[in-house]
Amino acid sequence: MSEIREIHVPDIGDFKDLPVIEVLVKPGDKVAFDDPLLTLESDKASMDVPSPGAGVVVSVTIKEGDRVSRGSSILTLQMAVDQAPAAVSAVNGTSVADAVKSSPAPAPLVSTPVVPVPAIAPAPTVNTPDAKPHASPSIRSYARKLGVDVTKVAATGKGGRILREDVERFVKDALVRLNRSAPHADQVGGLNLLPWPDVDFSKFGNVEKVALSRIKKISGANLSRNWVMIPHVTNNEEADITGLEAFRVQLNTEGGKDATKYTMLAFLIKAAVATLKAFPQFNSSLGNEDGEPILILKQYYHIGFAADTPNGLVVPVIRDADQKGIGQIATECGELARKARDGKLGPADMTGGTFTVSSLGGIGGTGFTPIINAPEVAILGVTRAQTRPVWDGKGFAPRLILPLALSWDHRVVDGAAAARFLQHLAALLADFRRITL
């Protein structure tokens, strides 16, 4: 026995009106529990909405370009009554039976012969100044984000409707006109930069074109904005972690095979929280009130960490890290890193961060300049520790030295505060007993 059920968007954190960038199913498709139904896109990353049960897609109520929030209808699914309650959904931690609503069965499909029609390219409709442009709310929102006046966009959709492609074509044409009118400078963003070189690399040899992943497209735009708009400064320091590493190895040796695996990242996050409490301006964001800039000091400590995935870097967040032990932090880091590699991170896993740690210790390097993850005001970069001879006043002794790099926003922080921040952090890592003081 089966029945038709209506499937909705599950809990997606604090996000609302997320654009649908891809619908992955169509009527007649068979889906299994947890199969992706559609892909949404936030300013952090893209995410798939999983099916809360197995069945056959009857109808799809959304399309690419629509915007959805928690509870928005996605599709109707014909599923077995006896199996639906057994499948546990991610919707508020409830069963599928609680997450979907019954819907009347559709009318029988009637086969109708299709008469082929020659393809005719639609002539664009140019909106006159007095005419109201025909565009959906999602297209208007998309145009606003790009700074496009929809009344100036030529429409090619049915009935003179403006499509997403029309907006993109308008932007491309505007950029071409801009480059032609200013061949020696790129005025986009008011930066007065030289135009990006347009090179045909194939004339020098064989090339291969590879599409960027969605994560890289999104993060690339954010990183470009952050690097250009934030006055970055980077301070460097070294921490002697000889004793801390020995303690970490000892904990893992004593724990056994199935015990918590303590990582250096977990110790770094705990030390970062203690240092942020001593220097609260690093746990802040710039804001605006009545047209005046203000500093928002946060009383919570949500620490992000850069996770490497096949599709690019993402930044999961350990929430309330000040209230958690190192073992719990290590466990959560491992769980979030696995979700990141599997593409299962949700918006709630990547929002609300107050400070970020980017560790390349497992890969290598002697130092780098991390880019601040706005709206945060600082980020800690860590590379691989190396054993070096260090003078102790009587002779040289082998010590394990960890390079630290702190990038900070010069609008909020100054060099003296950054130097003291790193000194405090290095002292904690050198003698972790200090964290109890």
Side-chain angles (χ1 to χ4, degrees), residues 17 32 35 55 69 86 127 144 155 157 178 185 245-246 277 312 387:
D17 297 327
D35 279 355
S69 303
N127 293 300
R144 284 196 299 271
L178 179 63
E245 175 63 9
K277 288 184 176 181
T387 300

Side-chain angles (χ1 to χ4, degrees), residues 2 9 12-13 53 67 80 102 114 179 191 197 203 213 226 247 298 322 329 368 372 428:
S2 64
V9 175
I12 53 176
R67 289 183 173 270
S102 296
V114 177
N179 287 334
L191 297 178
K203 68 182 181 182
S213 68
N226 296 350
F247 178 54
K298 301 163 190 174
D322 58 316
I329 292 174
F368 69 107
I372 296 169
L428 289 178

Side-chain angles (χ1 to χ4, degrees), residues 69-81:
S69 303
R70 176 183 177 182
S72 298
S73 176
I74 300 175
L75 50 80
T76 54
L77 191 65
Q78 185 175 19
M79 48 201 309
V81 175

Side-chain angles (χ1 to χ4, degrees), residues 16-256:
K16 295 181 180 179
D17 297 327
L18 290 184
V20 177
I21 60 174
E22 189 173 5
V23 179
L24 304 173
V25 295
K26 62 184 183 299
D29 285 353
K30 293 182 179 179
V31 296
F33 171 70
D34 214 30
D35 279 355
L37 302 177
L38 68 155
T39 303
L40 307 178
E41 187 173 71
S42 71
D43 59 351
K44 299 289 184 181
S46 60
M47 69 203 77
D48 291 335
V49 173
S51 174
V56 178
V57 177
V58 178
S59 63
V60 179
T61 55
I62 48 87
K63 62 183 181 301
E64 184 177 325
D66 286 352
R67 289 183 173 270
V68 297
S69 303
R70 176 183 177 182
S72 298
S73 176
I74 300 175
L75 50 80
T76 54
L77 191 65
Q78 185 175 19
M79 48 201 309
V81 175
D82 56 349
Q83 69 88 30
V88 178
S89 168
V91 185
N92 301 328
T94 61
S95 67
V96 171
D98 297 325
V100 297
K101 297 179 179 178
S102 296
S103 173
L109 297 177
V110 179
S111 177
T112 305
V114 177
V115 180
V117 179
I120 302 176
T125 301
V126 180
N127 293 300
T128 62
D130 297 330
K132 185 177 181 180
H134 298 288
S136 67
S138 62
I139 297 300
R140 291 178 182 274
S141 176
Y142 181 60
R144 284 196 299 271
K145 287 184 178 180
L146 298 179
V148 173
D149 182 354
V150 291
T151 62
K152 299 180 181 179
V153 177
T156 61
K158 185 177 180 180
R161 295 190 69 83
I162 297 174
L163 306 177
R164 186 185 182 96
E165 292 79 5
D166 299 331
V167 177
E168 293 171 347
R169 189 182 304 109
F170 179 87
V171 173
K172 291 178 181 178
D173 292 344
L175 290 175
V176 170
R177 291 194 299 270
L178 179 63
N179 287 334
R180 287 174 179 172
S181 63
H184 301 297
D186 183 358
Q187 298 290 340
V188 176
L191 297 178
N192 196 30
L193 301 175
L194 290 174
W196 195 264
D198 185 10
V199 181
D200 179 10
F201 298 101
S202 62
K203 68 182 181 182
F204 304 114
N206 293 331
V207 299
E208 178 185 3
K209 295 182 179 180
V210 180
L212 288 174
S213 68
R214 288 195 186 96
I215 289 178
K216 289 184 177 179
K217 288 179 181 178
I218 297 170
S219 62
N222 286 329
L223 291 170
S224 296
R225 177 203 60 197
N226 296 350
W227 182 251
V228 171
M229 301 303 295
I230 299 174
H232 281 66
V233 182
T234 302
N235 282 37
N236 296 284
E237 185 58 88
E238 293 180 338
D240 186 337
I241 61 167
T242 309
L244 180 57
E245 175 63 9
F247 178 54
R248 186 188 71 84
V249 171
Q250 178 186 343
L251 289 175
N252 286 334
T253 302
E254 294 173 349

Side-chain angles (χ1 to χ4, degrees), residues 238-246 248-249 264 384-390 397-403 429-430:
E238 293 180 338
D240 186 337
I241 61 167
T242 309
L244 180 57
E245 175 63 9
R248 186 188 71 84
V249 171
M264 185 56 67
R384 177 179 292 171
Q386 295 183 348
T387 300
R388 298 209 306 260
V390 177
R399 308 297 295 179
L400 186 62
I401 305 300
L402 180 69
L429 295 173

Side-chain angles (χ1 to χ4, degrees), residues 227-304:
W227 182 251
V228 171
M229 301 303 295
I230 299 174
H232 281 66
V233 182
T234 302
N235 282 37
N236 296 284
E237 185 58 88
E238 293 180 338
D240 186 337
I241 61 167
T242 309
L244 180 57
E245 175 63 9
F247 178 54
R248 186 188 71 84
V249 171
Q250 178 186 343
L251 289 175
N252 286 334
T253 302
E254 294 173 349
K257 181 179 179 181
D258 298 325
T260 299
K261 298 301 180 184
Y262 291 88
T263 62
M264 185 56 67
L265 175 60
F267 285 96
L268 283 167
I269 290 175
K270 198 65 177 176
V273 169
T275 308
L276 290 170
K277 288 184 176 181
F279 299 88
Q281 68 267 43
F282 288 85
N283 199 58
S284 69
S285 288
L286 278 171
N288 187 289
E289 191 171 87
D290 299 327
E292 292 294 326
I294 61 171
L295 191 62
I296 302 172
L297 298 172
K298 301 163 190 174
Q299 307 302 315
Y300 52 91
Y301 301 87
H302 301 340
I303 309 301

